Amino acid sequence: MKLIATGNEAVAYAVLDASPDFIAAYPITPQTTIVEALAKFKESGKLKATYIPVESEHSALSACIGAGSMGKRTFTATSSQGLLYMAEMLHWASNARLPIVMANVNRALAPGWNLWADLSDSLSQRDAGWLQLYVSTVQEAYDTILMAYRISEDPNVLLPVMVNLEGFVLSHSAQPLETLEGCYLEPLDLPHRLDTGTPHTLGNVASPNDYFKLRRDAENAARKSAKVTRKAEKELFELTGRAYRPVMEYRCDDADVIIAAMGVFAREAEAACDILRDKGVKVGVARVRQFRPFPEFDFDGRLIVIDRDYSYGCGGILAQEIRARTGKPVYSVIAGLGGQDMTYKDFVKIVIESREEGERWWGID
Amino acid sequence: MLRGNSACPGCQANLALRHVLRACGADTILILTPGCSAACQGIYPDTCINVPVLNTAFAAGASTAIGVAASTDSNVVVYAGDGATADIGLASLSFALEYNTDFLYICYDNEAYGNTGAQRSGTTPYGARTTTTPGGKRQHKKDIDSIVCAHQIPYMATAAAAYPDDLYRKVKKALSYKGSKFIHVLTPCPTLWGFPQEKSAYIGKLAIKTGAWVLYEKDSGKISISLWSKNILDKYLPLEDYLKAQSRFSGISDKDILELKRNMNESVKRLVQE
């Protein structure tokens, strides 16, 4: 089906096509239109899942953990404060090895109250054990939700996946969308699901040795997920012709300067890249789509990393990851926090004014 | 429930769980929140519970049950302490009840945070000493039962581990209803309350005989006082007998005993009037 849809609508269509058994969610701007769309699908009979509008995000994820432990396919969505309110259960979901899929609509954290795009919410949860993917278009939001189920439910993975899209700039922006007809996912077969026929206990007291082993298993699964993600990308490419990679490269082959960024920001940087190329500056854009596990990041050019997020005392979070991965000097730019408008003109200026190494809070420093 | 668990001798929380599980049968999924009952289930890979058990976070007993209940026709039972029920888990419990989730929620009430070593909870009674109320609690026990009943669920009851036949009957009855059921079980704790282990059942019975705990049920909106409490409504033993048997009330002033009695009488009066 071809249509014009917003990022949030694309997420809802993908959930519909993933045919989950159970959805629990709580509204929060700018995620709300996802749960509203799902409620409409449910009301019209299109969506077969049990849909429960619970009283908080903590309960939304807890309910998904309950249904997930019964071997059911689940979905929830949140944003910002809601994601942080879930924090305890985020770790629970990954440590319980449950393949839950969640859409997080990236929004700034209070105070002061701010509803606009900022990746600090999900990036502050980067160690919660969820695989994290960041999308940049409406179509990619749709495709990635479906791929997320494929990845999380793989018997070698069994970890939850968070699909991130920026608030308003993507969640409420309309673009063309092509949906698949019907669900291409195989039924979920959770090996440790609860069953009254063969009673067992999930999550009881674990001695240090057993605890340690369980964590190592989860770590191995997170590492293996990269390979499974490549398989899911290949499968989707064969189905649709749309190609996704952990790092999406734009004119990177002969680039002297690489701009690294995530989400919509990186697409804006592509426009800047074209302008700079016309001026003779060989720029490329590396859009990090897969943040956890952090992918290979191997480029020859000088690195400019643009973060719409921060870790106080440590700077941009993507910059930290890329520094750690490459061991190379990085020019780190923190920009667009709380939805500060950034156009391709800003990105052109960033490149022109950049140095070999350093940090700059754009528009302030 | 299988033989052998790591509960303290004289533990009524585990005694009550044994009778709950006996009433529920094998077609049951049990949800545990952190607390004594979770600590007593055994250390992985062992367990003393022979039905599927899902451990969940402190505030998440009822909300986890929402997901389980949506995924099975088996009995879904939450067995959670007073802290997990009346304090940290109250919001999620409230939604689950308001939604009339098809499950049985059992609160075992030892009137303090037991597994962390006796800190005050919302259901700690007035005058009781805990490690966070060393001079005695200055607030009354939270009336979680009225809060639960305000959700207009099909079945609510109080019970006591010391009266297992009554508890068993109430669990059976609760499970015969669709929708949300709530049973509030008094489970005296020798360690927290300060009485000898062998007096556990005695203290449990004394709670009813002195009127410190009233056994009743609210079935489809109608309250009835259960037999063990009904027979003694006008001939309670002195409350002092119950208080003096427990070191958590040692040093309680006469004024505080009067205040405790006043509050208790009011609760009983309200129940009888309803």
Side-chain angles (χ1 to χ4, degrees):
Chain A
M1 184 169 68
K2 285 185 176 173
L3 64 159
I4 299 290
T6 64
N8 279 357
E9 285 165 354
V11 169
Y13 278 113
V15 173
L16 183 66
D17 291 341
S19 197
D21 303 297
F22 183 87
I23 298 168
Y26 187 75
I28 178 170
T29 305
Q31 160 266 34
T32 310
T33 50
I34 296 176
V35 297
E36 285 177 341
L38 290 172
K40 267 189 200 158
F41 287 149
K42 175 70 187 169
E43 200 70 19
S44 69
K46 276 192 215 163
L47 180 69
K48 304 289 177 235
T50 304
Y51 176 93
I52 302 190
V54 291
E55 95 299 341
S56 73
E57 289 89 354
H58 192 280
S59 289
L61 190 49
S62 304
C64 286
I65 285 167
S69 301
M70 300 297 292
K72 302 295 180 185
R73 180 173 291 162
T74 60
F75 176 79
T76 189
T78 190
S79 175
S80 182
Q81 308 295 129
L83 184 72
L84 299 198
Y85 201 40
M86 277 182 185
E88 178 187 26
M89 304 320 285
L90 289 177
H91 288 263
W92 200 287
S94 56
N95 290 337
R97 304 295 303 277
L98 295 173
I100 297 166
V101 171
M102 164 159 65
N104 178 60
V105 185
N106 293 112
R107 169 190 141 180
L109 299 167
W113 286 118
N114 182 305
L115 305 175
W116 297 288
D118 189 310
L119 306 189
S120 300
D121 56 356
S122 55
L123 288 176
S124 78
Q125 299 305 309
R126 65 192 182 276
D127 301 332
W130 287 58
L131 310 179
Q132 288 198 358
L133 301 168
Y134 290 79
V135 305
S136 68
T137 66
V138 167
Q139 184 67 58
E140 192 182 356
Y142 174 89
D143 292 341
T144 306
I145 290 281
L146 288 171
M147 274 192 275
Y149 280 104
R150 199 48 142 189
I151 299 160
S152 67
E153 293 177 1
D154 188 285
N156 290 309
V157 179
L158 298 177
L159 285 168
V161 179
M162 190 188 298
V163 177
N164 294 280
L165 60 156
E166 288 135 295
F168 294 111
V169 282
L170 185 51
S171 69
H172 288 63
S173 295
Q175 293 169 2
L177 170 69
E178 189 173 357
T179 64
L180 295 166
E181 297 307 322
C183 179
Y184 79 100
L185 305 172
E186 281 157 24
L188 167 60
D189 182 15
L190 188 75
H192 55 290
R193 70 177 175 277
L194 290 173
D195 175 11
T196 51
T198 51
H200 63 270
T201 294
L202 293 181
N204 56 337
V205 185
S207 69
N209 280 345
D210 287 319
Y211 182 90
F212 205 167
K213 273 184 217 152
L214 291 165
R215 291 303 172 271
R216 181 61 207 236
D217 283 349
E219 164 68 13
N220 287 343
R223 302 256 170 171
K224 277 186 201 157
S225 76
K227 207 171 156 191
V228 175
T229 305
R230 298 301 80 77
K231 215 168 78 184
E233 287 161 356
K234 189 162 173 269
E235 182 186 45
L236 194 97
F237 176 74
E238 282 162 5
L239 269 171
T240 67
R242 294 188 289 272
Y244 296 105
R245 299 288 302 153
V247 180
M248 302 292 282
E249 296 179 22
Y250 183 78
R251 303 182 80 167
C252 286
D253 281 349
D254 61 339
D256 298 326
V257 179
I258 297 288
I259 306 175
M262 294 199 288
V264 172
F265 249 27
R267 305 309 290 262
E268 197 70 26
E270 287 176 10
C273 173
D274 291 343
I275 290 167
L276 287 160
R277 286 251 172 194
D278 290 346
K279 289 183 180 171
V281 189
K282 284 186 183 170
V283 178
V285 178
R287 176 166 70 86
V288 177
R289 206 179 102 80
Q290 176 191 304
F291 186 82
R292 275 290 178 273
F294 201 80
E296 286 301 315
F297 193 88
D298 190 14
F299 295 97
D300 290 333
R302 186 162 70 80
L303 296 173
I304 301 172
V305 182
I306 303 175
D307 271 284
R308 190 175 230 169
D309 54 78
Y310 53 87
S311 171
Y312 289 141
C314 216
I317 294 169
L318 182 61
Q320 292 168 32
E321 297 279 342
I322 289 175
R323 254 187 229 115
R325 172 62 81 183
T326 62
K328 286 184 179 173
V330 158
Y331 184 69
S332 166
V333 179
I334 290 142
L337 299 186
Q340 176 204 36
D341 201 21
M342 292 286 294
T343 70
Y344 63 93
K345 288 177 192 163
D346 293 294
F347 289 93
V348 168
K349 232 172 133 191
I350 283 172
V351 174
I352 289 167
E353 295 176 11
S354 68
R355 302 188 304 274
E356 187 71 21
E357 195 171 5
E359 182 179 297
R360 183 172 184 188
W361 287 58
W362 187 251
I364 297 168
D365 292 346
Chain B
M1 203 164 164
L2 303 167
R3 279 166 191 274
N5 65 56
S6 45
C8 308
C11 174
Q12 296 216 13
N14 264 262
L15 179 71
L17 180 57
R18 183 148 68 83
H19 294 294
V20 166
L21 289 175
R22 198 163 56 85
C24 291
D27 189 22
T28 298
I29 291 167
L30 183 68
I31 295 160
L32 296 178
T33 54
C36 291
S37 64
C40 293
Q41 65 192 311
I43 295 176
Y44 171 86
D46 296 329
T47 177
C48 66
I49 298 171
N50 203 19
V51 295
V53 177
L54 179 55
N55 283 272
T56 190
F58 212 3
S63 46
T64 304
I66 289 169
V68 176
S71 311
T72 181
D73 293 325
S74 303
N75 300 322
V76 176
V77 180
V78 178
Y79 195 73
D82 44 298
T85 304
D87 291 347
I88 196 169
L90 187 56
S92 69
L93 173 64
S94 175
F95 173 76
L97 299 179
E98 180 250 327
Y99 202 72
N100 203 19
T101 306
D102 188 15
F103 79 138
L104 168 61
Y105 191 105
I106 297 180
C107 170
Y108 67 95
D109 190 356
N110 52 27
E111 301 191 321
Y113 287 86
N115 203 42
T116 45
Q119 294 77 39
R120 137 203 226 287
S121 82
T123 70
T124 300
Y126 183 86
R129 290 195 308 179
T130 67
T131 58
T132 51
T133 55
K137 192 184 171 195
R138 305 317 298 166
Q139 298 79 26
H140 282 289
K141 185 177 175 81
K142 187 189 283 190
D143 186 1
I144 185 70
D145 301 325
S146 294
I147 296 171
V148 165
C149 286
H151 295 80
Q152 305 177 57
I153 57 172
Y155 184 81
M156 178 270 160
T158 62
Y163 292 92
D165 51 347
D166 181 67
L167 171 62
Y168 180 88
R169 181 184 65 80
K170 284 170 175 168
V171 172
K172 280 274 186 203
K173 192 169 183 186
L175 291 174
S176 72
Y177 287 96
K178 273 253 167 227
S180 295
K181 291 82 65 176
F182 182 90
I183 301 179
H184 188 184
V185 190
L186 184 72
T187 58
C189 169
T191 317
L192 307 180
W193 294 17
F195 59 79
Q197 297 153 5
E198 67 275 14
K199 292 253 166 136
S200 203
Y202 167 78
I203 295 287
K205 289 196 159 114
L206 205 54
I208 280 84
K209 288 176 183 166
T210 56
W213 188 254
V214 181
L215 299 173
Y216 68 95
E217 56 194 320
K218 193 166 185 182
D219 189 345
S220 311
K222 200 173 161 290
I223 283 192
S224 56
I225 312 284
S226 309
L227 194 64
W228 295 108
S229 284
K230 199 174 172 182
N231 288 345
I232 52 161
L233 270 182
D234 46 0
K235 43 190 174 204
Y236 282 139
L237 296 177
L239 182 65
E240 287 82 349
D241 292 0
Y242 177 65
L243 303 180
K244 275 182 194 154
Q246 308 168 44
S247 68
R248 63 173 174 159
F249 289 110
S250 63
I252 189 170
S253 68
D254 292 347
K255 205 176 133 209
D256 281 351
I257 294 177
L258 276 177
E259 173 58 20
L260 202 48
K261 279 186 180 171
R262 185 199 60 76
N263 187 261
M264 262 173 44
N265 288 340
E266 262 180 30
S267 305
V268 174
K269 213 159 66 186
R270 211 170 47 233
L271 267 177
V272 175
Q273 276 171 356
E274 270 193 59

